[in-house]
Amino acid sequence: MKFSDTLIARLRQASSVCVLTGAGISAESGVPTFRGEDGLWKKFKPEELANFDAFIRNPDLVWEWYAYRRRLIHEVKPNPGHYALAELEQRLRDFTLVTQNVDNLHRRAGSRRIFELHGNIERSYCIECRTFVSDLKLDELKTAPRCEKCGGLIRPDVVWFGELLPADAFAEAESASTRCDVFLSVGTSAVVYPAASLAYMALEHGAYVVVINPERTDLSFHAQETVLGKAGEILPMLVHALQKQPEGEL
Ligand code: APR
């Protein structure tokens, strides 16, 4: 794989890099994407499973679906794409990882500076008193658990359609997008807002924006480059290319 000289040079010179990831980076780990061929939204209705009203209407159905996704995520491992980003974080002084994924795989791969825009499936909280619970045994429950403190319904700490993103995480993501020299959009269809707006903020602030995806996305029409391929293959090669001594330099 030959990366463009511009991409390698921009990454080498960069004092600040921001990466936005989506479900595609976890596809090679075995976590289904949402809108891909076998995507979750091809099999399940987001309006029945990923919004608050649906949860109130049928909490057991929604709970069981997230318990199924949690069990799936516990069976898989981070892939070389996740590890490559954890390594880039070590190499670059100002590196920010923003993810739409709730699967916790970036953290399991060793990334530290992560901003989760859509929450994290490993956390749950009471919709009444907001007490957080992170008890794995919850997964075995077939019905939506109740809060031990107030009896309120326990929900997964993920952002459902129509809900606001966590303000702190989004503010950090905005600040990283507007100060970065290079912005990588990895494994996301770039159609869900406001997460998808970050790349355009980076563009407006003069960043070099690159899409990494086996397919072109909406962002590809605006980005400086689209590197077609799987994140688990492209990202390790990119890290390797950065490690290689530039020609002519000792
Ligand atoms: N490497 C990189 N990209 C991949 C790979 C791979 N191995 N496999 C698939 N992709 C790409 C697909 O081509 C697609 O563009 O990943 C993208 C996944 O897009 P979506 O399924 O739309 O997922 P995402 O962009 O993360 O969705 C955003 O929508 O449903 C909500 O909250 C959910 O966070 C999610 C948000």
Side-chain angles (χ1 to χ4, degrees), residues 31 69-76 103 108 121-122:
V31 181
R69 290 181 62 195
R70 255 192 305 268
R71 283 194 296 275
L72 185 153
I73 286 164
H74 293 160
E75 280 151 22
V76 303
D103 59 27
R108 285 169 59 190
I121 205 169
E122 301 289 12

Side-chain angles (χ1 to χ4, degrees), residues 167-198:
D168 303 353
F170 193 67
E172 287 281 354
E174 275 185 310
S175 130
S177 302
T178 52
R179 77 168 180 274
C180 67
D181 307 301
V182 177
F183 184 101
L184 304 180
S185 172
V186 181
T188 179
S189 55
V191 296
V192 175
Y193 285 75
S197 68
L198 296 168

Side-chain angles (χ1 to χ4, degrees), residues 234-250:
I234 299 287
L235 292 171
M237 287 195 278
L238 187 57
V239 171
H240 179 68
L242 283 174
Q243 277 157 350
K244 261 193 318 192
Q245 278 303 356
E247 261 104 49
E249 278 196 27
L250 297 179

Side-chain angles (χ1 to χ4, degrees), residues 22-24 27-28 33-36 41 100-101 118 161 187-190 192 212-215 217 229-231:
E28 291 151 271
T33 66
F34 293 93
R35 294 169 190 82
W41 298 150
Q100 298 167 87
N101 300 345
H118 297 163
F161 288 102
T188 179
S189 55
V192 175
I212 297 177
N213 193 310
E215 295 166 8
T217 70
K230 296 180 172 180

Side-chain angles (χ1 to χ4, degrees), residues 94-109:
D94 177 3
F95 178 89
T96 303
L97 176 55
V98 180
T99 188
Q100 298 167 87
N101 300 345
V102 298
D103 59 27
N104 213 35
L105 290 177
H106 283 303
R107 190 166 282 108
R108 285 169 59 190

Side-chain angles (χ1 to χ4, degrees), residues 2-242:
K2 173 97 180 62
F3 294 100
S4 76
D5 296 343
T6 314
L7 173 55
I8 297 300
R10 295 292 294 252
L11 274 170
R12 283 213 169 107
Q13 291 148 12
S15 59
S16 172
V17 172
C18 181
V19 177
L20 173 70
T21 63
I25 195 167
S26 298
E28 291 151 271
S29 294
V31 181
T33 66
F34 293 93
R35 294 169 190 82
E37 212 38 57
D38 311 324
L40 289 169
W41 298 150
K42 292 270 169 27
K43 288 184 235 157
F44 304 99
K45 295 197 178 66
E47 61 277 11
E48 283 174 14
L49 294 165
N51 70 68
F52 189 76
D53 300 342
F55 179 64
I56 296 304
R57 260 197 322 274
N58 192 341
D60 299 348
L61 174 72
V62 173
W63 181 266
E64 201 172 342
W65 190 62
Y66 280 94
Y68 145 75
R69 290 181 62 195
R70 255 192 305 268
R71 283 194 296 275
L72 185 153
I73 286 164
H74 293 160
E75 280 151 22
V76 303
K77 292 189 172 52
N79 66 60
H82 297 105
Y83 288 112
L85 291 179
E87 193 175 338
L88 264 185
E89 181 180 349
Q90 301 304 322
R91 289 176 56 84
L92 294 162
R93 202 165 40 73
D94 177 3
F95 178 89
T96 303
L97 176 55
V98 180
T99 188
Q100 298 167 87
N101 300 345
V102 298
D103 59 27
N104 213 35
L105 290 177
H106 283 303
R107 190 166 282 108
R108 285 169 59 190
S111 286
R112 287 293 156 264
R113 195 174 147 69
I114 311 166
F115 297 100
E116 297 166 322
L117 297 185
H118 297 163
N120 186 313
I121 205 169
E122 301 289 12
R123 294 189 303 260
S124 306
Y125 66 91
C126 169
I127 64 172
E128 307 297 341
C129 69
R130 319 259 336 151
T131 302
F132 271 81
V133 286
S134 50
D135 171 352
L136 289 182
K137 279 201 288 313
L138 289 179
D139 289 355
E140 285 124 32
L141 298 174
K142 285 276 170 278
T143 56
R146 295 276 172 174
C147 175
E148 280 162 12
K149 274 199 189 151
C150 76
L153 271 172
I154 302 283
R155 63 164 283 175
D157 182 23
V158 297
V159 177
W160 284 328
F161 288 102
E163 294 187 324
L164 293 176
L165 273 54
D168 303 353
F170 193 67
E172 287 281 354
E174 275 185 310
S175 130
S177 302
T178 52
R179 77 168 180 274
C180 67
D181 307 301
V182 177
F183 184 101
L184 304 180
S185 172
V186 181
T188 179
S189 55
V191 296
V192 175
Y193 285 75
S197 68
L198 296 168
Y200 297 96
M201 289 180 203
L203 274 171
E204 276 154 33
H205 286 77
Y208 193 75
V209 175
V210 179
V211 173
I212 297 177
N213 193 310
E215 295 166 8
R216 291 178 61 76
T217 70
D218 288 7
L219 178 60
S220 294
F221 296 98
H222 308 275
Q224 275 79 15
E225 277 193 54
T226 292
V227 180
L228 292 173
K230 296 180 172 180
E233 294 164 8
I234 299 287
L235 292 171
M237 287 195 278
L238 187 57
V239 171
H240 179 68
L242 283 174

